Amino acid sequence: MVLPPKVSETDFRAALGEFESAVGATWVYSSDEDVALYRDSYSINWGEPEERVASAAVAPAKVEEVQQIVRIANRYSIPLYPISTGRNLTYGGSAPTMRGSVVLDLKRMNRILDVDEKRAFALVEPGVSYFDLYRHIRDRNLKLMLDVPDPGWGSPMGNSLDHGAGYTVAAFRDHFAAHCGMEVVTPDGDVIRTGMGAVPSADSWQDFHYGAGPSVDGLFAQSNFGIVTKMGFWLMPMPEAFLSGTVTAPHHRDLDALIQEVSYLEDLGLTGMPQYGSPVAQGAGATMAGLMQNGWPSPEAVENFVTAQKRPAWSVQLYFYGPEETVRATWQAAKRRFGKAIAGATFRDGEFLTLPIPREKEPTQSDKPRLGIPALEVFNMVARNPLSANDPSDGHADLFVTIPRKASALGESSRVLFDAHREVGMPSRHSPFSTPFTYYSRCFWVGTTVPTWRDPAKNARSRELFARVMDRCAEHGWVSYRTNPAFQDLLISKYSFNNNSLLRFQEKLKDAIDPNGIISPGRYGIWPAGMRKNRA
């Protein structure tokens, strides 16, 4: 048994007994077998003293039970780690930030409280998954489209609170930006509702973000200031049609113009999440290895490589949503603009679909999320992340950093990532043809998947790589927007303006509203005062 820090076994057993009185003995998990289910199966500290493991778990069914649990935890100084579904693999899963915490598993709070087709919103509890909400909408033939992450087995609430993202147009794929109104149990067991939810008679809780006075919703994302028990989301009205198209650019130097034109369409809300690619790099294999064998190649060598391969340097797939007349006209306008900006640009018409797609014709391939359909097919692609074909890993930890949306930043960050891997003797897939992730419309993400193991020696190498990449990127002002709990203190140390004034402000809030440090101590570097002093 792993006990919470500074809690005796006697007090811990007494607290578990009170949890059982609050929710029923069936819903308190303390056996080794049950608690093992809350381990991070991708842990980069697997089997080591630093591994984040729970002491127990408790699963309430309603907000009143959450309040009781929080009050019991305060009496016994038991740290709680709330999860919605706990399926955020590569970012810690359901394992707590601090070893020995009791996981507050909100899976039983799984009601879809409201879906309004005409006003295009949903109100859900934390245990509702994207699959649950999708089936609810589909079975009632509501003309609404979800924006889903990949994989889609998690919850809208959990994904939003960890700043997750999806695939459709910018207004909806930034999931926290698309939320509207939340209910929160505070660290002293009180309940608040944000925005118009604070007005008892208001019928506009999911219509207007702000209400009056300071907006506090953002305090509960990636934080430990409260436990969110209800959350509203704006949903996309079901478009009449979906259309895709691909643009290619012949030269490596065309990337800047390509990005500018894509950004123009994105910023006007005319296209969904663009997907950049590099035809010249696809299947290049040994030829690409030859280009990279002596380190980062010169611009001349890169352009010569493109010429020799006789394939375009870049491509971008665009996705359009709306009435048929609109999506077809937008694609035509896009082709006109790209053709003018990039000499030698080519175009390929993609798929056209009338929406909604009948249930029996739902696609089975990996493009489901772009159509608002939750899926698990992504696991076919990322289930194994080998250092070599003969040495497959057991999992991986994601490390993505935010960079400006421009070609120079993409090229420089790819070089930095390539060099960081070489510094620690690990293989790198980064090259002058690396492409960005575009989940957020106003920036790019670049990064790597760091392999994790059940082998401490191999995990030590992976931790070295993770820290090296984070350090090298931070030197250029590129930092992650979220990370595995094992690296949250390191990440937050990079947000160091004015002697870490942002963290110091967050610590003041923590000390004021959660003096006992009950809710998720250490999450994103925010430790309660007692633990903070010990870590200094």
Side-chain angles (χ1 to χ4, degrees):
M1 177 186 293
V2 176
L3 291 172
K6 299 182 180 179
V7 176
S8 69
E9 184 171 351
T10 299
D11 283 351
F12 183 62
R13 293 295 183 191
L16 292 182
E18 293 195 32
F19 289 154
E20 291 179 356
S21 297
V23 303
T26 302
W27 305 110
V28 176
Y29 310 112
S30 58
S31 71
D32 291 346
E33 183 179 20
D34 286 340
V35 174
L37 297 175
Y38 293 91
R39 289 182 80 174
D40 174 12
S41 58
Y42 286 5
S43 175
I44 204 165
N45 296 104
W46 185 272
E48 300 179 66
E50 296 80 13
E51 184 184 356
R52 276 76 173 163
V53 294
S55 56
V58 55
K62 53 189 177 180
V63 66
E64 292 82 6
E65 292 178 357
V66 175
Q67 291 178 272
Q68 292 181 61
I69 291 166
V70 167
R71 289 165 181 155
I72 294 165
N74 270 286
R75 288 198 294 273
Y76 290 95
S77 297
I78 302 289
L80 300 173
Y81 187 77
I83 63 171
S84 51
T85 61
R87 290 174 172 165
N88 194 13
L89 295 182
T90 79
Y91 290 108
S94 57
T97 301
M98 188 179 75
R99 182 178 176 91
S101 299
V102 171
V103 173
L104 183 62
D105 188 344
L106 303 176
K107 63 186 177 184
R108 296 175 65 209
M109 298 179 66
N110 58 1
R111 294 180 300 162
I112 297 170
L113 300 167
D114 193 10
V115 178
D116 191 303
E117 181 180 38
K118 293 181 179 179
R119 290 152 69 190
F121 70 71
L123 178 65
V124 299
E125 291 185 326
V128 173
S129 72
Y130 282 99
F131 283 106
D132 294 333
L133 187 54
Y134 175 74
R135 284 191 289 264
H136 180 97
I137 291 170
R138 183 193 64 188
D139 292 347
R140 289 159 179 78
N141 295 314
L142 303 179
K143 298 225 176 340
L144 296 169
M145 177 181 278
L146 293 181
D147 186 286
V148 300
D150 206 355
W153 63 349
S155 75
M157 183 181 296
N159 188 269
S160 165
L161 291 174
D162 207 24
H163 293 161
Y167 286 87
T168 66
V169 296
F172 299 100
R173 75 174 188 262
D174 178 348
H175 292 163
F176 190 75
H179 100 277
C180 190
M182 58 175 70
E183 177 185 85
V184 184
V185 175
T186 59
D188 60 358
D190 203 358
V191 178
I192 64 173
R193 289 185 174 180
T194 68
M196 298 306 296
V199 180
S201 60
D203 185 33
S204 52
W205 192 14
Q206 275 65 66
D207 297 314
F208 184 52
H209 270 120
Y210 305 120
S215 177
V216 300
D217 294 53
L219 291 175
F220 303 107
Q222 287 193 350
S223 81
N224 50 16
F225 297 146
I227 301 163
V228 183
T229 51
K230 294 181 180 65
M231 201 166 188
F233 293 93
W234 291 337
L235 305 179
M236 184 193 297
M238 178 63 70
E240 294 178 18
F242 168 87
L243 175 69
S244 65
T246 302
V247 183
T248 67
H251 304 293
H252 188 271
R253 62 180 177 270
D254 293 327
L255 181 59
D256 188 63
L258 187 70
I259 290 171
Q260 288 185 42
E261 291 303 317
V262 173
S263 299
Y264 174 84
L265 297 173
E266 269 255 86
D267 293 349
L268 283 175
L270 296 177
T271 182
M273 190 192 88
Q275 183 173 332
Y276 288 91
S278 178
V280 75
Q282 294 171 6
T287 310
M288 178 65 72
L291 176 68
M292 305 300 296
Q293 65 180 348
N294 295 319
W296 201 257
S298 67
E300 294 77 17
V302 170
E303 291 293 4
N304 291 337
F305 177 84
V306 175
T307 301
Q309 297 300 306
K310 298 180 180 180
R311 282 182 287 180
W314 305 106
S315 66
V316 65
Q317 288 182 273
L318 302 172
Y319 304 91
F320 306 98
Y321 302 82
E324 179 176 353
E325 303 92 330
T326 301
V327 298
R328 292 194 184 280
T330 303
W331 176 221
Q332 286 301 118
K335 288 190 283 187
R336 171 178 57 79
R337 290 187 60 90
F338 283 107
K340 184 178 179 180
I342 303 171
T346 65
F347 309 97
R348 185 176 70 250
D349 293 346
E351 191 173 29
F352 174 83
L353 296 171
T354 299
L355 303 179
I357 298 172
R359 190 176 310 184
E360 65 276 8
K361 294 184 179 179
E362 286 184 359
T364 57
Q365 60 273 27
S366 60
D367 58 359
K368 282 182 178 181
R370 294 192 181 277
L371 300 171
I373 304 171
L376 297 177
E377 279 82 358
V378 70
F379 284 119
N380 296 329
M381 179 178 68
V382 301
R384 308 302 263 173
N385 182 38
L387 281 175
S388 70
N390 298 320
D391 192 15
S393 63
D394 297 303
H396 66 275
D398 284 342
L399 199 177
F400 296 107
V401 298
T402 304
I403 66 169
R405 190 178 54 176
K406 56 184 183 179
S408 59
L410 178 60
E412 180 67 7
S413 60
S414 299
R415 183 191 64 78
V416 169
L417 286 162
F418 175 81
D419 288 344
H421 281 72
R422 285 167 62 99
E423 288 172 10
V424 299
M426 300 274 270
S428 172
R429 298 185 179 96
H430 298 91
S431 78
F433 302 98
S434 295
T435 54
F437 293 91
T438 55
Y439 294 108
Y440 278 77
S441 64
R442 292 279 180 164
C443 65
F444 284 163
W445 293 344
V446 297
T448 189
T449 53
V450 178
T452 61
W453 318 86
R454 303 294 169 88
D455 181 328
K458 291 180 179 179
N459 268 345
R461 291 183 65 206
S462 289
R463 290 195 297 271
E464 181 184 3
L465 173 63
F466 203 108
R468 183 68 58 90
V469 169
M470 193 176 284
D471 286 343
R472 291 291 180 264
C473 287
E475 291 169 3
H476 293 77
W478 312 319
V479 294
S480 298
Y481 73 108
R482 62 176 172 174
T483 194
N484 188 286
F487 296 97
Q488 286 177 1
D489 285 325
L490 177 60
L491 170 59
I492 294 304
S493 74
K494 309 303 183 186
Y495 288 79
S496 58
F497 169 77
N498 190 22
N499 190 28
N500 303 95
S501 58
L502 177 59
L503 177 59
R504 288 187 284 112
F505 179 75
Q506 293 164 339
E507 290 170 343
K508 291 176 185 177
L509 294 177
K510 182 67 173 176
D511 294 344
I513 65 175
D514 188 11
N516 295 326
I518 295 302
I519 307 298
S520 301
R523 182 161 169 76
Y524 281 94
I526 306 172
W527 293 91
M531 298 179 190
R532 190 160 66 239
K533 293 172 183 175
N534 294 335
R535 300 178 68 83

